[in-house]
Amino acid sequence: METVALVSSYDKEDMASIKVLHSCTILTHRIITNRLHILFHFTVTLLLLYYRISHFFNGNSLPALSWALITISEIIFTFIWCLTQAFRWRPLSRTVSIDEIPANMNLEGLDVFVCTADPRKEPTMEVMNTIISALALDYPPGKLAVYLSDDGGSYITLYALKEAFAFSKRWLPFCMKYRIKTRCPEAFFSLAKYEELSITDEFSAKKDELEMKYNLFKRNVEKICEDASNYVVFDRPAHAEIIHGDTYMDDNENDEESTKMPLLVYVSRERRPSKPHRFKAGALNALLRVSEKFSNGPYLLVLDCDMYCNDPTSARQAMCFHLDPQMSPSLAFVQFPQMFYNISKNDIYDNQARSAYRVNSFTVLNQI
C-alpha cells in the first residue's frame, strides 16, 4: 500500500512545534558487502560487453543481426541495473516515532481508495476484508474516509459493502477495546494464537460472538455470488452512494461499544462500450473527483483490493514522514512493502516478489 500527499495545509508554526518524527541510520555493516558485490558484478558485465562488441567487429562467421540484438539488449539491461544500484550503494534504515506526534494536533484528512472490477476475478469477501481493515485504521474517524470503486457496477459488491459496514459497527469497537493489531477479520479469526492479548472470558465470549456474525456475513455474501446471473455491467450510468455519512454510529444500540465510524462511499463510474475506461487509472481519477465533493482529504491511501492493512497505525507511520520538519517538502509518496500469504513453498517464479519487497524495498522505502 502507499500514501500520496497532494497538499499540506499545516502552517509553519504548526510544523515548528512538531518534534523529529523519524530517525535515519546508515547501515554501515551492509555497505561493504553491497559495494563489493556491485563492483564485482559491474566488472564482469563490462568484460561481457567487451567480448560482445569485440567479436561483433572481428568475427566473420557470426550471425550479425542476432549478435547485434543480443549486444543491444545486454547494454539496455546493464543501464537499467545501474539505475537500481543507488539504493544498495548507500542503504538506509528509517524508524518512525508515532508517539512524538502531538496528541492535540489536528491531523489532516485521509482518503482511502480501494478499486475492484469483477467479483469473479477478485473475490468479494477479500475486497470486503480490505474495506473493514481500512475502516479500522488508527486514525481520527472524522478525518478518515473510505471509497470503494466498483468498475464492474455489480450489485453483489454494493450488497456486500452494506453488509461489511453492518459488521464493522461491531468489529471496530472490539478492536479498539482489546487493542487488536490484526484488524482484518479473516486474518484475525484464522490466527492460531491471538497476538499477545490477555485472553479473558469476556474476550473469548465476544470473539466467539463476532466470529459467528462474521461467518453469517460471509455465508450471505457467498450465497449472493452463487445465485448471481450477471456479475458485471458493461453499459451503465454513474452511481455513487454514501453507505455511511455521519461519523457516529447511526443505530440505536445503547451499549458502551458505540463508537465513531469513518465516511464510507460506494462509487461506480459511468461506463460505455464505445468509450475507453482507462482501467484502474480511470477508476482512481473518478475517485478523486468524487472525494472532492465529500471529504476532499489532502492525503490519499491507495490499497489493492486484496491487500489488507496488517497494522492499524500504518497511516500514522506514513504521516510521520509527511509531517517531519526535517523531511523535504517535495516528499510525495511513502510506500509500504507488501507481504504475501498462502504462497506455495515451491515458489520457483518468486511470486512473493522477495527481491522487490524484502531486499530492494528495504532501501527503496527508506530512500524516499
Side-chain angles (χ1 to χ4, degrees):
M1 63 182 179
E2 63 184 30
T3 53
V4 184
L6 299 182
V7 295
S8 177
S9 61
Y10 295 110
D11 54 30
K12 294 183 178 180
E13 294 182 359
D14 291 336
M15 298 300 292
S17 63
I18 300 176
K19 299 180 181 179
V20 177
L21 299 179
H22 88 285
S23 59
C24 178
T25 305
I26 299 177
L27 303 179
T28 54
H29 63 281
R30 293 185 57 181
I31 287 181
I32 298 177
T33 305
N34 286 0
R35 293 184 179 181
L36 286 175
H37 178 267
I38 292 173
L39 292 176
F40 175 76
H41 192 283
F42 187 66
T43 302
V44 173
T45 303
L46 289 180
L47 292 175
L48 175 61
L49 293 178
Y50 172 77
Y51 170 80
R52 292 291 189 195
I53 296 174
S54 60
H55 281 67
F56 177 75
F57 291 102
N58 298 330
N60 297 325
S61 60
L62 293 175
L65 180 60
S66 301
W67 197 266
L69 292 176
I70 293 175
T71 304
I72 293 173
S73 63
E74 289 178 343
I75 292 175
I76 295 174
F77 285 136
T78 301
F79 176 72
I80 296 174
W81 177 83
C82 291
L83 295 179
T84 61
Q85 299 312 300
F87 307 115
R88 298 179 62 242
W89 187 262
R90 188 172 179 267
L92 302 177
S93 175
R94 296 186 186 271
T95 305
V96 297
S97 303
I98 302 178
D99 297 334
E100 296 296 334
I101 299 179
N104 59 348
M105 184 175 185
N106 188 19
L107 291 174
E108 288 281 8
L110 175 66
D111 292 345
V112 182
F113 289 174
V114 181
C115 298
T116 185
D118 191 336
R120 292 167 298 185
K121 300 177 181 178
E122 299 164 342
T124 305
M125 281 307 301
E126 290 187 6
V127 179
M128 295 306 112
N129 273 277
T130 302
I131 293 293
I132 294 173
S133 68
L135 290 171
L137 284 173
D138 182 15
Y139 206 81
K143 296 300 182 70
L144 181 63
V146 180
Y147 295 84
L148 174 63
S149 171
D150 179 17
D151 242 11
S154 175
Y155 68 92
I156 299 175
T157 305
L158 180 57
Y159 167 81
L161 186 61
K162 294 179 179 179
E163 290 291 312
F165 176 73
F167 172 77
S168 66
K169 290 191 292 186
R170 296 170 176 81
W171 173 249
L172 266 65
F174 173 76
C175 293
M176 296 177 182
K177 181 177 181 179
Y178 297 102
R179 298 181 180 179
I180 305 297
K181 182 178 179 181
T182 305
R183 298 190 177 183
C184 170
E186 185 70 29
F188 177 78
F189 292 128
S190 62
L191 289 175
K193 182 179 179 181
Y194 294 105
E195 305 173 4
E196 296 180 357
L197 302 172
S198 56
I199 308 299
T200 62
D201 293 339
E202 180 187 7
F203 170 83
S204 299
K206 193 63 180 176
K207 187 267 295 181
D208 293 339
E209 178 187 353
L210 280 173
E211 189 170 8
M212 291 178 58
K213 293 183 181 296
Y214 175 74
N215 290 331
L216 177 61
F217 157 50
K218 188 175 181 179
R219 286 196 300 270
N220 291 338
V221 173
E222 290 176 348
K223 186 177 185 303
I224 290 293
C225 293
E226 292 174 359
D227 299 339
S229 58
N230 189 11
Y231 287 89
V232 179
V233 180
F234 295 101
D235 190 357
R236 63 177 188 272
H239 176 69
E241 183 174 339
I242 300 177
I243 307 301
H244 181 70
D246 189 2
T247 56
Y248 290 92
M249 290 177 62
D250 52 2
D251 58 325
N252 297 321
E253 297 179 0
N254 53 355
D255 55 17
E256 71 278 5
E257 294 185 349
S258 295
T259 186
K260 293 182 179 180
M261 298 288 288
L263 172 70
L264 179 60
V265 180
Y266 169 87
V267 178
S268 176
R269 60 186 174 128
E270 181 182 7
R271 187 169 178 179
R272 305 298 180 188
S274 59
K275 296 182 180 180
H277 60 282
R278 309 301 181 189
F279 301 98
K280 188 174 181 178
L284 290 175
N285 285 333
L287 287 179
L288 282 173
R289 294 193 295 269
V290 173
S291 64
E292 179 188 5
K293 303 299 181 181
F294 295 105
S295 55
N296 198 25
Y299 292 91
L300 306 179
L301 173 62
V302 182
L303 300 177
D304 287 340
C305 64
D306 57 351
M307 294 287 183
Y308 69 89
C309 304
N310 64 335
D311 190 338
T313 64
S314 55
R316 290 181 178 267
Q317 292 180 31
M319 295 301 291
C320 286
F321 292 98
H322 290 297
L323 301 180
D324 196 321
Q326 292 188 355
M327 290 297 294
S328 171
S330 61
L331 174 68
F333 298 90
V334 175
Q335 180 171 350
F336 290 82
Q338 295 178 339
M339 302 299 293
F340 297 86
Y341 301 93
N342 299 326
I343 298 293
S344 172
K345 294 182 180 179
N346 301 319
D347 184 22
I348 60 176
Y349 298 109
D350 193 24
N351 292 317
Q352 303 179 66
R354 288 172 295 182
S355 175
Y357 291 113
R358 296 188 183 181
V359 180
N360 290 336
S361 70
F362 180 79
T363 52
V364 170
L365 171 64
N366 298 320
Q367 286 278 0
I368 294 179

